[in-house]
Amino acid sequence: MVKAHRAALAIVSTLASSLPALAQDSELGRVREEMKQLQRNYEERMQALEKRLTDAESRAARAEKSATQAEQSASQAGRSASQAEETAVAASRRSGENAFNPAISLILQGTWARTSQDPNNFFISGFMPSGGEVGPPKRSFGLGESELAVTANIDPFFRGVLIASLSADNTVEVEEAYFQTLALSKGFTLKAGRFLSGIGYQNEIHQHAWDFQDAPLAYKAFLGGRYIQAGMQVRWLAPSPIFVEFGAELASGESFPGNDRNKNGAGSAALFAHAGGDIGDSYAWRTGLSYLRTSARNRAFQDVDSLGNSVTNSFTGRAKVWILDGVLKWAPNGNSTQQNVKLQAEYFRSAQDGTLTYDDSMLAAPVFGTLADSFKARQSSWYAQGVWQFMPRWRVGYRYDALRRGSVDIGIVNNGLGPTAADFSLLGPYNPSRNAAMIDFSPSEFSRLRLQLAQDKSRMGATDNQVFIQYIHSLGPHGAHKF
């Protein structure tokens, strides 16, 4: 195209030089002027075309260079992505390993005790001994129940918990060891293993979180201190404006008031329902109703006959326990750090039906040998307590416990088989009670010091005046306590 333009320009130049004869003609001058203008226009267009050609060649070169650089960058980006993926996998692996590191906590407890009655001879008159650790702590200095807890999420679906109890007599007991679901829908949660039952209010609270040094008499008489079982539990949290929860449990039933029957199937069943909510900004409440049904086979306990001899009795049959509980809390505008009040009460009713066996055959001179007949007991108990944090770190509290012997029918006595009512402490006309007052100081959320005074009338004819000084220290991460 450029060569054609140059040829045209040469022709125009030739024509311009061949017209000198017409120089005097005006028309010829105008033609010449037009031809010069045409020549200038062609030159300008040719320069513009040459510039466009040069620019196009330059852009093509830059494009080729950019394409080469882009290819190199893409290759480098691919290598970087591969390295990033490897780094992410390694980081994920490290994170996964760390995620399985469990939270470990330790609760240290100890007491100094002074009692007017021998703790080794503790019993509750008119009620079957549970065999649990329900008596006062040993006199003088002693270790309390310490707890070692290990908890962690197993995966996105399960959580695992192990709590071992270290007793003062150098024994270790698995208090809780269970898994719990994390991903069930529609408000359901499943727990399986060994755990504190959901019946009542205080039963699920670990000892170090109690407001008093020991459990109420109702728990001691009817649940052996607290009800721990191996089994499974399902809970359902209702989608309601207030807290509404229902639960059911199936378990082996080896804990008092049942025992290990060495039998297939479930040995106990429990149902419970809880409801709660807020009243304004300063009050919160919770109430509940629970039912426990279990069985026992040859559940033995020691008794004393009318002559003071030790006799072995045993119970075979069914035991049922109903519990009604309620809690009310107050904190000004919901701020419990300065002041707060907690009122707590529970009512228990127990029913046992079966066979009672009387056995004095182990005596040097047996009187009646082994006898068995019907047994029926309807008994109840309640307690009420209040705790007031009157200033930061300081609390005072009072609790009253009452047991009601109710009605106890022993066929061996009613049918005149030999032993009389004096040979059974269960038939003693006595209603045990207890008063306890405490004051505690918490230097921080991880430690507590407590002084407790109590007047214990669990034993007929003997009042036990008690003084306890208790320390509780928490080491490591520890989950929040229940309401």
Side-chain angles (χ1 to χ4, degrees), residues 141-165:
F141 294 95
L143 291 176
E145 180 182 272
S146 296
E147 294 179 359
L148 178 63
V150 181
T151 63
N153 287 351
I154 301 170
D155 53 30
F157 309 101
F158 299 101
R159 172 175 177 262
V161 174
L162 170 66
I163 299 179
S165 172

Side-chain angles (χ1 to χ4, degrees), residues 86-98:
E86 293 176 359
T87 303
V89 171
S92 175
R93 186 179 299 115
R94 290 192 298 270
S95 176
E97 292 168 352
N98 290 336

Side-chain angles (χ1 to χ4, degrees), residues 374-388:
S374 63
F375 177 84
K376 180 179 180 180
R378 300 291 184 268
Q379 300 175 305
S380 62
S381 177
W382 64 273
Y383 76 90
Q385 68 181 53
V387 177
W388 175 34

